[in-house]
Amino acid sequence: MLVLYHFWLSPFARKIRLALAEKGVPFELRLEREVERRPEFLALNPAGEVPVLVDEDETVVADSAAICEYLEETRPDLPLLGATAAQRAETRRLVGWFDGKFNREVTENLVGEKLMKRLNSQGYPHAPAIRAGLANIHYHLDYIAYLAERRTWLAGDDFSLADIAAGAHLSTVDYLGDVPWDEHPEARLWYARIKSRPSFRALLADSVPGAPPPPHYANLDF
Amino acid sequence: MLVLYHFWLSPFARKIRLALAEKGVPFELRLEREVERRPEFLALNPAGEVPVLVDEDETVVADSAAICEYLEETRPDLPLLGATAAQRAETRRLVGWFDGKFNREVTENLVGEKLMKRLNSQGYPHAPAIRAGLANIHYHLDYIAYLAERRTWLAGDDFSLADIAAGAHLSTVDYLGDVPWDEHPEARLWYARIKSRPSFRALLADSVPGAPPPPHYANLDF
């Protein structure tokens, strides 16, 4: 069986968990504490970061973008990128938006500061970063609403890796209760559709030791 | 003809320029000042960032990773990722290393602080960031040497997008004269091979107004 190394609330590992579940590929999840810098893990990924996937033939794939492309190539049923080169480009652009821009402007400022620093014993949250994250998220929720009003799913007619990447990041911020859903009803409608997919169930059952999620986190009617 | 929007010393735009040149695809280069936030450019890429590629059929592709995958799909001759899924995964892992880790730990701390802030009127360089960049680069040059001692090119037997991404980032730091080549002879040997490729010529001819490169920048025997 495939093995996926992850860490609590890593949005990049969540993206892979969702992609594997959407493709119907069973996998074993292993918790990796990156800060421990375990030699066996560094041998799998010299960058020392989750997610890392180990395939059944022992092929090791590190870097979440590389893992997604690898899964599309080796498990082409139920494609998550799109049918044409132009559609795949649009899907990848949006994955890049959430994994790059959203991660830098929102996820790292909120989940990184408020939770990861504590879990990794890396000091105290930086208040200006948290304020920036809480301000930036509105702009991203507006963009999700803009896309969701014009398309069935974020990248076009079909559910895709763009929805998965966006859902992975938002789910980690939602775990903190920091997504202002009330002010963004269109984005909430899109997220409710994502959240009710079977692939999301395992994420909603997650609980970080010492930091349980708020009640609405796993509620499909939030 | 393809059009590529770029900005001086953007390592991500340089990656695309090298990939297009390696594939022998002619293109027109257009300078885009991201900070101006030109509405016509934001219509091409709402993230407001270079590179953006406009194909001959008007397909617009934004995000450098999306552009690379798009070029591999639409111009499959002279592939830059590798022949097998496992090889492509290794190439993409290393591209992620340089575009993610190296960019965050080195490029942004040096090129970002010392040059981009000035070009974009974004204030003064942050001295601790520069010190961090100058310290971090040794670790990355050691990793390049480690790979180059064991493989013909960074990702394996063939020249690939991993070499291109690494070369794109290092070339921008080298433009500042901040690569300690003397202390890293193995990395220097690898870079000398990259630098002598015809695809690199246009990059070596670049000159940023008001910030000319040091003499060794374009010298193949540096």
Side-chain angles (χ1 to χ4, degrees):
Chain A
M1 196 189 291
L2 276 79
V3 172
L4 180 69
Y5 291 85
H6 85 128
F7 188 66
W8 298 304
L9 298 193
S10 158
F12 299 98
R14 288 188 157 212
K15 182 177 67 171
I16 308 303
R17 291 167 68 187
L18 291 169
L20 286 166
E22 287 287 341
K23 283 177 175 289
V25 179
F27 62 100
E28 181 198 329
L29 205 54
R30 288 195 194 153
L31 186 76
E32 182 66 36
R33 295 169 195 267
E34 295 173 349
V35 285
E36 291 183 359
R37 298 190 65 74
R38 233 172 20 99
E40 297 82 1
F41 183 67
L42 291 174
L44 297 178
N45 182 13
E49 294 167 358
V50 297
V52 172
L53 184 81
V54 183
D55 204 348
E56 287 167 325
D57 66 359
E58 302 299 320
T59 300
V60 178
V61 189
D63 181 282
S64 82
I67 295 172
C68 288
E69 297 290 343
Y70 176 82
L71 289 174
E72 283 292 285
E73 292 182 0
T74 58
R75 275 81 175 174
D77 294 344
L78 303 171
L80 293 172
L81 289 170
T84 66
Q87 178 59 60
R88 287 190 289 275
E90 176 64 359
T91 303
R92 291 182 180 115
R93 174 184 77 82
L94 287 167
V95 172
W97 177 290
F98 291 101
D99 284 350
K101 197 172 171 64
F102 187 98
N103 181 61
R104 196 169 58 239
E105 298 177 355
V106 179
T107 315
E108 288 188 356
N109 283 330
L110 297 176
V111 184
E113 292 295 327
K114 294 170 87 166
L115 194 59
M116 291 300 176
K117 274 190 170 176
R118 173 149 64 96
L119 292 174
N120 294 327
S121 305
Q122 289 167 330
Y124 296 100
H126 187 55
I130 293 173
R131 281 196 295 275
L134 293 173
N136 293 338
I137 196 171
H138 291 285
Y139 161 72
H140 288 279
L141 291 168
D142 283 345
Y143 190 47
I144 287 172
Y146 172 90
L147 293 169
E149 282 169 7
R150 286 160 179 78
R151 300 168 169 180
T152 311
W153 293 97
L154 293 188
D157 291 339
D158 298 315
F159 176 84
S160 79
L161 199 62
D163 301 284
I164 287 177
H169 282 274
L170 272 169
S171 72
T172 67
V173 181
D174 198 37
Y175 190 98
L176 302 176
D178 277 347
V179 183
W181 293 121
D182 287 348
E183 298 171 56
H184 298 274
E186 289 290 340
R188 184 210 291 255
L189 280 175
W190 163 82
Y191 190 66
R193 285 192 289 144
I194 295 269
K195 203 171 171 179
S196 62
R197 293 176 80 88
S199 63
F200 232 82
R201 271 181 214 148
L203 270 58
L204 300 179
D206 279 354
S207 188
V208 181
H216 82 271
Y217 172 72
N219 192 341
L220 296 185
D221 184 23
F222 56 106
Chain B
M1 195 186 293
L2 276 79
V3 172
L4 179 69
Y5 290 87
H6 85 127
F7 188 66
W8 298 305
L9 298 193
S10 158
F12 300 97
R14 288 188 156 211
K15 182 176 68 172
I16 308 302
R17 291 167 69 187
L18 290 170
L20 286 165
E22 287 287 341
K23 283 178 176 289
V25 179
F27 61 99
E28 181 197 330
L29 205 53
R30 289 194 194 155
L31 186 78
E32 182 65 35
R33 295 169 195 268
E34 296 171 349
V35 285
E36 292 182 358
R37 297 190 64 76
R38 225 167 34 90
E40 297 82 358
F41 184 67
L42 291 174
L44 297 178
N45 182 13
E49 293 166 0
V50 297
V52 171
L53 184 80
V54 182
D55 203 349
E56 286 166 325
D57 66 358
E58 304 297 320
T59 299
V60 177
V61 188
D63 181 281
S64 82
I67 296 172
C68 288
E69 297 290 342
Y70 177 81
L71 289 174
E72 283 292 285
E73 292 182 1
T74 58
R75 276 81 175 173
D77 294 345
L78 302 171
L80 292 172
L81 288 170
T84 66
Q87 179 58 61
R88 286 189 289 274
E90 176 63 359
T91 304
R92 290 182 180 117
R93 174 184 78 83
L94 287 167
V95 172
W97 178 290
F98 291 102
D99 283 350
K101 197 171 172 62
F102 187 99
N103 182 61
R104 194 169 59 239
E105 298 176 357
V106 179
T107 316
E108 288 189 355
N109 283 329
L110 298 176
V111 184
E113 292 295 327
K114 293 170 87 165
L115 194 59
M116 291 298 175
K117 274 189 170 176
R118 173 149 62 96
L119 292 174
N120 294 328
S121 307
Q122 289 166 331
Y124 295 99
H126 186 56
I130 293 172
R131 281 196 296 275
L134 293 173
N136 292 338
I137 196 169
H138 291 286
Y139 162 72
H140 288 278
L141 291 168
D142 283 345
Y143 190 47
I144 287 172
Y146 171 90
L147 294 169
E149 281 169 8
R150 285 159 180 80
R151 300 168 168 181
T152 311
W153 292 99
L154 294 187
D157 291 340
D158 299 314
F159 176 85
S160 79
L161 199 63
D163 301 283
I164 287 177
H169 282 274
L170 272 169
S171 72
T172 66
V173 181
D174 198 37
Y175 190 98
L176 302 176
D178 277 347
V179 183
W181 295 119
D182 286 349
E183 299 172 56
H184 298 274
E186 290 290 341
R188 185 211 291 254
L189 281 175
W190 164 83
Y191 190 65
R193 286 192 288 143
I194 294 268
K195 203 170 171 178
S196 63
R197 293 178 78 90
S199 64
F200 233 80
R201 271 180 215 149
L203 270 59
L204 299 179
D206 279 354
S207 188
V208 181
H216 81 271
Y217 171 73
N219 193 342
L220 295 185
D221 184 21
F222 57 105

